[in-house]
Amino acid sequence: MLTQEMIADVPSDPGVYFFRGATGTILYIGKAKCLRKRVRSYLHKTKNRPSKIKRLIRWTTDVRYQICRSEQEALFLESRLIQEYQPSYNTALKYGRTSWYIRIDVGEAFPRLDRVSETQPDGARYFGPLSSRRWTDEAIDVLQRIFPVRTCEGEITPVLGFRACFQYDLKRCDAPCAALITRERYGEMITDIVNLLDGEYEKVQTSLVAKRDKASEVLQFERAAAFQKQLQRIQKVFTFLDVHRKVTQ
């Protein structure tokens, strides 16, 4: 059963927490802006808790956590780990609620980041479920600030001289509609986004470092600076550490 002793050393950092059963199986994965406050809340007012949460508290014999650098990083990490481990109580606790996903149709010439409430067998990549519509929008916003890809609806055909929308002025989209970015370079950003959502932080970092260095070698300093900025933003928001080791210790 979950006790005060189990959570005595939980820090106040943002991160992801794991409730495990007697056999070591992960029962539940959650995220928190403040791990200490969130985990301790399970021991308060237990009489008014739904029966599913009472069972979770009763069967929990161990609590582990993974510190993150930001609430956004915790969001992505939670989503990826739920998808990987499929904890039984994550499904139970979210029963009857709408799930949200980030959808990327990698088959399109210029894929967009889309928020959807269900998956379809349409060949697109789906990432989630995420815990709320607000968090899904926040996730898309974070990704778009790092990689300026489009979120507008419908397929597009690049037209040189086409007037790009306000998203381009805000540096939130590289305006493929106006042929201001090639399909190849746009596709590289989509690949990096997919790799980040898959937890392949090191792969994305290596890719961006190589692109930055290559741009510098050919004296494309503005492009090199853009890659460096992406690296800095990723390092600030996404730090996917050795999760498997920390979860299974």
Side-chain angles (χ1 to χ4, degrees), residues 21-38:
T23 63
T25 302
I26 297 177
L27 303 176
Y28 181 74
I29 298 173
K31 70 174 185 311
K33 184 176 182 179
C34 175
L35 284 167
R36 179 188 296 272
K37 183 177 180 180
R38 180 70 182 107

Side-chain angles (χ1 to χ4, degrees), residues 12 33 70 77 92 100 115 128 150 156 182 213 230 248:
S12 299
K33 184 176 182 179
S70 68
L77 186 58
W100 296 97
R115 172 191 16 92
R150 71 187 189 97
I156 63 170
T182 65
D213 294 347
Q230 287 178 324
T248 56

Side-chain angles (χ1 to χ4, degrees), residues 4 7-8 10 35-44:
Q4 289 282 1
I7 61 176
V10 176
L35 284 167
R36 179 188 296 272
K37 183 177 180 180
R38 180 70 182 107
V39 174
R40 285 186 173 183
S41 70
Y42 285 90
L43 295 177
H44 300 156

